[in-house]
């Protein structure tokens, strides 16, 4: 293994180091830095980045990384882990999804050293972090007032990426097209295989999503033989892949009564919610346009006509089998959380 150089810092095999990577200055002339935590094993192995808060209001990932690197007994024995708990530091400070220039950082890659503020941050992250990595796990949540069932999104036509997605062990794996300008888009162009973990809601900590994320990352690190093996799993649960998904939208404006929750199986034509007036009358019913499983849901009980309400994943397999599978994965995760002090 060779030395790893990030910014002006050199990290040797077997070394753990926390560094602050300069990004830019605020109006007050105060420096803003990208916090980076590097753990290198003594043995040769792959390099993987774990990133969070590319969208500054998506906080679950920050807590996942914080707990992961402080987990009792956590050790990287081979290869290198580069953890970046806040990519969009500006957004985190302002509790905003966006950069101060109102650009979406996850649409600004690969960026430019002389471009907009968002482009410069993207350029630095790609150059100093992603360029060193064979793999990456990018942590996200749903938007404000929207929750996501823990899920992995990835380009599953690549066999190795599919294997990593299965190893993570999330309740749902969604075959997801790569969006132009995203971190995943730029990383794949550099030969870095990336999983995108979606779970929970913006500006909120969701305990189940956080712990499921930690366990999933540990599963991937074990699969890559970067960390010692833990206790053997009692059984292997086969993962199911959703190749498509879609949103069901409100057909009227009003007050919502939700009839289904995340992870529920729904049938085509089934009533998902009722939309009523302030006087109590039901204005319309929201119907499932296809059979599938709810993987995303609006939380606020007010809705405008045309607003996205339910994100449904569509599977080739029988929906009841999928719903049972999701329940089994959730039960396994809950039992693991309840019955163990740590994940290793």
């Amino acid at each position: 293994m060779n030395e790893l150089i990030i910014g002006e810092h050199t990290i040797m095999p077997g070394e753990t180091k926390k560094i602050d990577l300069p990004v830019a200055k605020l109006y007050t002339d105060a420096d803003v830095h990208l916090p980076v935590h590097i753990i290198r094993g003594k043995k040769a192995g792959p390099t993987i980045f774990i990133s969070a808060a590319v969208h500054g209001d998506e906080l679950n990932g920050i807590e996942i990384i914080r707990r992961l690197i402080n987990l009792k007994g956590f050790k990287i024995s081979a290869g290198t882990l580069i953890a970046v708990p806040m990519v969009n530091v500006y957004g985190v400070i302002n509790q905003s999804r966006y950069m101060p220039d109102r650009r979406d950082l996850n649409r600004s890659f690969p960026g430019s050293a002389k471009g907009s503020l968002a482009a410069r941050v993207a350029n630095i992250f790609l150059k100093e972090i992603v360029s060193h990595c064979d793999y990456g796990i990018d942590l996200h949540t749903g938007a404000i007032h929207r929750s996501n069932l823990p899920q992995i999104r990835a380009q599953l036509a690549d066999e190795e990426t599919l294997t990593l997605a299965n190893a993570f062990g999330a309740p749902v794996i969604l075959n997801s097209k790569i969006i132009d300008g995203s971190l995943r888009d730029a990383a794949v162009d550099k030969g870095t295989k990336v999983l995108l973990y979606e779970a929970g809601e913006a500006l909120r900590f969701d305990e189940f999503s956080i712990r499921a994320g930690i366990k999933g990352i540990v599963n991937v690190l074990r699969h890559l033989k970067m960390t010692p093996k833990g206790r053997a799993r009692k059984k292997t649960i086969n993962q199911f892949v959703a190749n498509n998904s879609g949103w069901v939208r409100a057909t009227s404006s009003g007050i919502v009564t939700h009839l289904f929750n995340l992870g529920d199986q729904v049938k085509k034509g089934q009533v998902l919610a009722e939309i009523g007036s302030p006087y109590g009358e039901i204005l319309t019913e929201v119907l499932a346009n296809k059979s599938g499983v709810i993987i995303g849901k609006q939380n606020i009980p007010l809705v405008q006509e045309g607003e996205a309400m339910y994100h449904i994943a569509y599977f080739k397999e029988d929906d009841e089998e999928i719903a049972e599978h999701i329940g089994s994965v959730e039960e396994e995760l809950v039992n693991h959380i309840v019955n163990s002090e740590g994940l290793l």
Side-chain angles (χ1 to χ4, degrees), residues 55 58 97 106-107 136-143 146-157 161-162 164-166 168 170-179 184 188 193-200 241-242 244-247 262 294-297 310-313:
H55 293 132
E58 298 182 358
R97 177 183 179 90
N106 209 30
R107 299 295 182 271
I137 302 176
D138 190 26
L139 307 174
H140 287 262
T141 75
R146 299 182 190 277
S147 293
N148 282 333
L149 183 76
Q151 59 195 262
I152 285 292
R153 300 181 184 181
Q155 189 178 30
L156 302 179
T161 303
L162 176 58
L164 290 176
N166 278 305
F168 191 98
V172 167
I173 301 174
L174 181 61
N175 189 31
S176 175
K177 294 181 180 179
I178 294 178
I179 299 173
R184 194 155 58 106
V188 169
K193 300 179 187 297
V194 178
L195 301 180
L196 193 152
Y197 177 63
E198 284 271 5
V241 175
N244 293 289
S245 67
W247 281 93
L262 290 176
I294 297 173
I295 61 170
K297 176 178 171 289
Y310 296 94
H311 190 195
I312 300 178

Side-chain angles (χ1 to χ4, degrees), residues 255-274:
I255 300 170
V256 180
T257 300
H258 289 284
L259 303 178
F260 286 86
N261 295 309
L262 290 176
D264 285 349
Q265 167 205 0
V266 298
K267 296 292 186 181
K268 182 179 180 179
Q270 201 162 19
V271 180
L272 304 180
E274 295 174 344

Side-chain angles (χ1 to χ4, degrees), residues 250-253 273-276 281-286:
T251 51
S252 183
S253 300
E274 295 174 344
I275 300 176
E281 60 184 322
I282 296 176
L283 301 175
T284 187
E285 295 176 330
V286 180

Side-chain angles (χ1 to χ4, degrees), residues 323-338:
E324 289 177 6
H325 153 74
I326 291 173
S328 297
V329 174
E330 290 180 333
E331 182 180 2
E332 182 189 40
L333 287 168
V334 169
N335 287 339
H336 184 90
I337 291 166
V338 170

Side-chain angles (χ1 to χ4, degrees), residues 101 103 108 112 114-121:
D101 56 5
R103 294 178 188 268
S108 301
S112 167
K114 296 183 179 180
S116 68
L117 182 57
R120 293 180 188 220
V121 173

